Amino acid sequence: MASALASDGVYLRDTVRTAVKLLVVGPFAVGKTTYVGTLSEIRPLRTEETMTQAGALVDDLAGVSGKSTTTVALDFGRLTLSDELVLYLFGAPGQQRFTQVWKDIAHGALGALVLTDSRRLEQSFEVMSLLEELDIPYAVAVNSFDGAPAFPGAELRDALDLLPETPLVFCDARDVTSSTQALVTLVEYLLNRNQENA
């Protein structure tokens, strides 16, 4: 029987037996914090700080207008899928200076969703390389930004140099439905991989 506290959406039900850790990663200012916040059933943990003039020397703000805060450690959210299964979403900071934090957060993750921006695709290569180095399977979600160019999926796959089996989807990190579909695509991919490797 679930605890009385579980019904308020904060505490886990007593029946939960499996927790799955998934990463939400991508370059700086691609929508990771928004994505985790959109899907989390609890108030997400955010470690955002106001960007300073000193940070402008190390954070590339090209193509990112109006960005005033940045994640300095992680974003954390939770999504209960059933009485027995819960997903933990860990959003990692996108700047290179946080690579060690990023690697620490990645420990124990089953897979990752790489958010990317069609205006700055080249910035996704470092993130995908890190995932491959850590042997973490991933799917790619092209996040929707106002005024961003729209490219066909085949062109984006070529530009990102994705393997044929790597899923590529489009989403809007502000929208629950498309964000959920991106997560479903990742989970289905991970399940299929596990079945093939069993």
Side-chain angles (χ1 to χ4, degrees):
M1 176 178 216
S3 74
L5 295 174
S7 63
D8 70 4
V10 176
Y11 297 95
L12 280 178
R13 297 181 181 105
D14 292 339
T15 56
V16 170
R17 297 292 176 255
T18 305
V20 175
K21 180 179 185 178
L22 297 176
L23 303 177
V24 178
V25 297
F28 174 64
V30 79
K32 301 176 296 291
T33 298
T34 300
Y35 185 88
V36 171
T38 295
L39 288 182
S40 183
E41 67 192 15
I42 59 171
R43 181 177 171 200
L45 169 67
R46 293 183 172 149
T47 59
E48 285 195 304
E49 292 294 333
T50 302
M51 296 178 66
T52 64
Q53 193 64 28
L57 300 173
V58 291
D59 295 331
D60 182 7
L61 298 176
V64 182
S65 61
K67 179 85 170 149
S68 62
T69 61
T70 186
T71 300
V72 296
L74 64 99
D75 297 307
F76 174 79
R78 186 184 79 204
L79 187 59
T80 302
L81 298 185
S82 71
D83 287 341
E84 296 185 355
L85 177 63
V86 66
L87 295 181
Y88 290 121
L89 303 175
F90 285 78
Q95 298 96 314
Q96 186 175 14
R97 60 190 162 113
F98 294 120
T99 299
Q100 188 55 56
V101 172
W102 198 98
K103 288 181 177 181
D104 292 341
I105 292 169
H107 183 73
L110 187 62
L113 184 68
V114 178
L115 286 183
T116 190
D117 180 344
S118 65
R119 301 168 297 181
R120 303 177 290 129
L121 289 176
E122 71 284 353
Q123 294 181 6
S124 299
F125 287 113
E126 184 177 343
V127 173
M128 293 185 298
S129 292
L130 271 172
L131 290 169
E132 290 165 5
E133 176 187 323
L134 297 170
D135 198 28
I136 297 175
Y138 61 90
V140 176
V142 180
N143 194 10
S144 174
F145 287 93
D146 296 336
F151 299 105
E155 286 184 28
L156 289 168
R157 293 188 71 81
D158 287 344
L160 291 167
D161 196 27
L162 298 179
L163 294 173
E165 64 270 17
T166 302
L168 174 73
V169 296
F170 296 88
C171 78
D172 183 336
R174 302 163 294 188
D175 177 71
V176 172
T177 302
S178 70
S179 293
T180 300
Q181 187 53 54
L183 188 62
V184 167
T185 298
L186 170 64
V187 171
E188 287 176 344
Y189 173 58
L190 296 175
L191 287 172
N192 290 336
R193 277 178 53 95
N194 286 342
Q195 289 172 355
E196 290 170 5
N197 295 332

